[in-house]
């Protein structure tokens, strides 16, 4: 059965989200058994954000933003 990361990648509509998941180092976590609830905006939704917002979101997260 596909996990949430594989589904997002194969759908082709969530490239920005997948990039953010990778930057936040959450791929392994989201590939593990859940349960997980993920708010998954499409690339079109991200495109409607003000200029510079997506770039700021996909920068390396600040320390302690994502706990191991």
């Amino acid at each position: 059965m596909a996990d949430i990361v594989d589904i997002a990648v194969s759908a082709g509509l969530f490239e920005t989200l997948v990039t953010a998941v990778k930057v936040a180092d959450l791929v392994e976590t989201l590939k593990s058994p859940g349960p997980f609830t993920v708010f998954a905006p499409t690339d079109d939704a991200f495109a409607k954000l003000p200029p510079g917002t997506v770039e700021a979101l996909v920068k390396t997260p600040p320390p302690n933003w994502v706990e191991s």
Side-chain angles (χ1 to χ4, degrees), residues 4 7 10 16 19 38 56 61 66:
I4 197 160
I7 292 168
S10 67
T16 305
T19 298
V38 176
V66 177

Side-chain angles (χ1 to χ4, degrees), residues 26-51:
L26 290 173
V27 173
E28 189 174 323
T29 299
L30 293 175
K31 286 183 156 289
S32 66
F36 300 107
T37 300
V38 176
F39 172 69
T42 63
D43 293 332
D44 286 343
F46 277 112
K48 293 179 182 180
L49 293 171

Side-chain angles (χ1 to χ4, degrees), residues 40-62:
T42 63
D43 293 332
D44 286 343
F46 277 112
K48 293 179 182 180
L49 293 171
T53 303
V54 172
E55 292 78 10
L57 291 172
V58 297
K59 286 183 180 178
T60 304

